[in-house]
Amino acid sequence: QVQLVESGGGAVQAGGSLRLSCTYSPRDFAINIMGWYHQAPGKRRELVASLTSDGDANHADSVKGRFAISGNDAKDTVYLQMASLQPEDTGVYYCRAYSDFWKAEFWGQGTQVTVAS
């Protein structure tokens, strides 16, 4: 089965930076889209950024200019570079993989990000 493992979360001051990583396996699985989602307590899980297998990246308006999604050459890891972090960015960040061929999605366990004022 497809497995996703996130890392890189932590506690930072406002204005600080973090780099989240999501490593997935098997590497040759037919994944079309990778995405990072943010969920704060009591709120819906929301898409932050996505990356297609063709290398096209998209970011939510709320994080444009601050966050950047990217992948590695081996096609087994997706990153979320986070800068200018604010308290409202606090929450759990989840990695999601979607396969159009299999019509299936897979989620990681999440990693906690806490931004202090």
Side-chain angles (χ1 to χ4, degrees), residues 38-59:
H38 171 228
Q39 185 169 27
K43 296 184 178 180
R44 296 179 180 178
R45 189 174 299 182
E46 298 182 342
L47 178 65
V48 173
S50 63
L51 182 69
T52 72
S53 58
D54 294 327
D56 295 324
N58 286 282
H59 301 83

Side-chain angles (χ1 to χ4, degrees), residues 54 76-77 79 81 86 91-93 98 100 107 110-111 116:
D54 294 327
D76 63 357
T77 304
Y79 305 97
Q81 183 67 52
Q86 301 298 314
V92 179
Y93 286 77
Y98 176 75
D100 185 65
W107 292 89
T111 184

Side-chain angles (χ1 to χ4, degrees), residues 3-4 6 35 37 45 94-97 105-109:
Q3 295 183 338
L4 292 79
E6 302 105 325
Y37 289 74
R45 189 174 299 182
Y94 296 91
C95 180
R96 173 185 180 263
E105 63 178 8
F106 309 91
W107 292 89
Q109 83 287 354

Side-chain angles (χ1 to χ4, degrees), residues 2-63:
V2 174
Q3 295 183 338
L4 292 79
V5 180
E6 302 105 325
S7 63
V12 299
Q13 298 181 149
S17 300
L18 287 171
R19 189 194 192 197
L20 308 184
S21 298
C22 174
T23 299
Y24 57 93
S25 63
R27 186 169 57 85
D28 60 349
F29 199 82
I31 298 298
N32 299 100
I33 303 174
M34 297 292 298
W36 282 102
Y37 289 74
H38 171 228
Q39 185 169 27
K43 296 184 178 180
R44 296 179 180 178
R45 189 174 299 182
E46 298 182 342
L47 178 65
V48 173
S50 63
L51 182 69
T52 72
S53 58
D54 294 327
D56 295 324
N58 286 282
H59 301 83
D61 290 340
S62 61
V63 304

